[in-house]
Amino acid sequence: MTEMDQFFEPLDSFKNDYQPAHQDNVSEYFEELVRKSGIDEEANRKTNEQLKEKDKEIFLKSKLNKKLRRLRVLVIVIIIIAIMTFIVSVQSLFTKDYMEGYTFSSTLIQAIVSAPIAVLLYLYLKKKTNNTIKSVGEDLKELNTKRQRLYDEAWRQMQPLNDLYTWGIENKLMEKTINWISFDDYFDSKRMEFFQKRFNLSDDLGKNTSILYVKSGEVMKNPFLITKAMNFEMISKAYHGSRVVSWQETVKVNGKSTVQTRTQTLHATLNRPAPNYWKTTGIIYGNEATPKLTFSRTPQVDIKASEKQLEKQVAKATKTMDKKEKKSMKNDTNFTAMGNTEFEALFHALDRNNEVEYRMLFSPLAQRQILKILTDKKIGFGDDWTYKKDKTLNYIFPNHMKDAKLSFSPSDFGAYDIDVARKYFNEANNTYFKNLYFGFAPVLALPLFHDTMPEAFKFEGTYLGNMSSWQHEYFSNEIDVNQLKHELSVTDNILKTKLIKTTPEHDEIAVTAYGFEGIKRVDYVSVRANNGHSYSVPVEWIEYLPVQKTSNVIIQNANVENSDASEKTIDYRNLFKIRIRY
């Protein structure tokens, strides 16, 4: 079986070929780094064992320290009680104002006993407890000093390995495992122009969306983008308030009139505009096959569903499609259900606009592979993806990528324990591989996409700037938002960029942060109580007023020196420096 043939079996290929191959590649890469670093693994393990022992000792000493401090508090409380008892007893003896139930003799005994108890406990506290607490405190200080030395030594032992980690390891390893994927260093202007001219992708996301992350590349010679975006909309938010009111009523009890007090809690609700923010993560894949076709689908298959439940779901969906088909015939619209009712029901792209291209794209082979992905419960993530096709652009939003880590920096892999480092490096890279692989799985299952490759594209340089506007937004969102947002902003911010000027060495952009100031308000809502009267119920709410701030940011090549030391500099993958001008 050739690798091109494997594309038609994305699920089985992952399990039998790609996953084990990638695990081997990741493991071999890490072991090669260890060999190259020359670190002494056994020495590091020994240091970390000593470090763990010190942590145990510190834990036990800290526990003892807490017990002793609680004991000291208890002793102090008892001393105070004994002193107060002595004082009260002595006063009673001289005033003959004995407490109820106490005689002169019992009060005298109480005074005689409480005094030495207070003295003895004070001496115990001063000589024993305080000294022990001081001694334990000194032990803790010494243990923490020794622990810090071991901790520093463990980092020193691992530093040669930590220094070898580079940007983009996760992508290089994925490229090694499968040769049909490649990643760009960054989303540049050429790639954006390619998307615009060939696939009609608009770089204008609108004022309510900002790119938090973007990675470009190619799958089967066709371009893709992995994106995470912050989205914003104004919604109506409900605010609630309450007030307790009371009144008196005259009622008859056993034939007699009596006045009773009634109480009632009144509730009020106000709806006011408020900003709502949410993140979306997805893949944009360009392919010129079926250039007129549009459709959309959302997850249909519950991973917990049994075969019987799926059969019922298919039967129900079949009836829906029959009705849609009959309606289509009457209205002379374009919908004809496929013979594979299971695929139709579970893929459920009933809003397609072109039956001919739909059947071209979803051949019998493609249908079988899509169904295997949708109903899978063991290998991948099952039906967890939304898919929208808009002519030559395919938008895939997998739920498993929402919170997935999309990139790694060298510091992510840095560790002071060789065993922890090895485990994390392997798990992180294998998880990353699985997340991306099954993000692309819906398009990998379509043979027509494999056979369609774009013609050569000549870059005309009509897109200004060294990098795309999406990359500009991504870089801007890497900056601490507190350095960009308006000082009155209390919400998340949508960052939008505008190119000011460009040179071969840098792009200068204006970054505008759009947020909201929050002003506390109180409105009073009239609410009728059970006594027939209306009362004003206070409802606190927040009025959100838009605020914005624009800053100039320079994104320059890493090899260009920064002449202004007052500017904030952020390094990106050793390729660029991001500078904020104040």
Side-chain angles (χ1 to χ4, degrees), residues 100-115:
E100 186 178 349
Y102 280 78
T103 61
F104 175 83
S105 59
S106 60
T107 304
L108 179 62
I109 293 172
Q110 188 172 263
I112 294 172
V113 171
S114 59

Side-chain angles (χ1 to χ4, degrees), residues 226 228 281-283 384 398-404 406 435-436 439:
I226 301 170
K228 181 183 282 288
T281 301
I283 295 172
D384 81 328
N399 289 332
H400 70 265
M401 288 181 64
K402 282 183 178 179
D403 300 316
L406 300 177
N435 286 335
L436 259 64

